[in-house]
Amino acid sequence: MTKETAIISQLQQDIINNSQKGFPLTSQPYKTIAEQLAHVNIVTNELEVFQAIDDLNSQEVLSRVGPVFDHKKAGASTLAALAVPEKDLDKIAGIVNQFDQVNHNYGREHVYNLWFVVTASDMVALNSTIVNIELLTGLPVLVLPMEASYHIDLAFSINVTGVESPTSNQESKLVTFNNNDTISLTDIEKTALRQAIEKGLPTHLFPYQVIAEQLALTEQQVLMQISLWQEDGLIRRFGLVIKHRKLGYDANAMVVWNIPNENMDAVALKLAKCAPVSLCYQRPRRLPDWPYNLFCMIHGTDRTLVLQQISQITEQLGLESIEKDVLFSFKAYKQHGARYFKTKSSKVKTSKINAGKTENNNDMKKQGQAHG
């Protein structure tokens, strides 16, 4: 535990473990959560659930309550890295953080020691952001787009209270209504709704009603459209998005492997099924500097235990002869939901500057991050 670790109640842990997926698409979602928890004998009510989640927000345990988009369907995305002189790391991280398109940014133990995720509306905007980061930092960016996804699920159960949370397994369904009575959204309205929810739902007992009023839509239109996006895969997950570091999960390792191309699927599919693995995906090699093409994440509260898990996985899958590296994260610089649409207030100077003369943002708020 560190001074950054939040203290949460058993109810809050139970809510987290039941609401990282399938956040209710109902007019009163917090009431629905309370009803779902009652199925596993957790006695609470709408207001208690709302206040518990609001407190998680206040403690910065939550990145947001809302969608996790499929990057390939929502726009363009890539993992990227910089090899930064250690003395300049905080300063360079501050420069990278200026970009709204950067939603995760964290330090890792490696020559490539600053890792960040860039998302944008399309590849042109994505490449422009990368070029501007290179201009502002004076450093070449290692660009590692996802080539294949084998397992992505950061909505894993947590246990920080010492008491396991029962899970209701209640599927949250959209309230029944007649589709013929609900007017479909125009493309402009869909874009406005995506922009409204990508930062998370408003803090309100009736969040969908608030969004509807802001966009001059009906609540049913909002609920139906979010449901349709979930059905077609644009939204991969809709619920509580957790900053795991704030809950003590700070021994987080990105394990990278140099897998022969002909063995990629066989190895990755087995690796993806290993219980400790929360992420598993293929990315390109960038020879000669970066020989690794398979990435997996293991989140934990104890570094020794994580290393033991990596050792066990390596032995179980017969990967002892495969070149690998383990990159533990040591500092989280930024986390928020992906921003696919450029905001009017987003102003980043893009002229080339001497990074050594750029002032570090000392007021930057330390945040947790989903991948590290």
Side-chain angles (χ1 to χ4, degrees), residues 176-188:
T176 303
F177 56 87
N178 188 339
N179 287 359
N180 295 329
D181 294 336
T182 304
I183 301 173
S184 298
L185 272 61
T186 65
D187 288 343
I188 292 175

Side-chain angles (χ1 to χ4, degrees), residues 54 62 69 85 87 121 145 161 164 190 211 217 231-232 241 248 262 267 272 297 322 352:
D54 187 44
L62 300 184
F69 288 102
K87 63 182 178 62
S121 57
T161 65
E164 294 285 345
K190 289 177 183 177
I211 293 171
L217 301 172
E231 289 177 12
D232 68 19
V241 182
E262 63 273 16
V267 172
M297 279 297 307
I322 298 296
K352 187 171 182 178

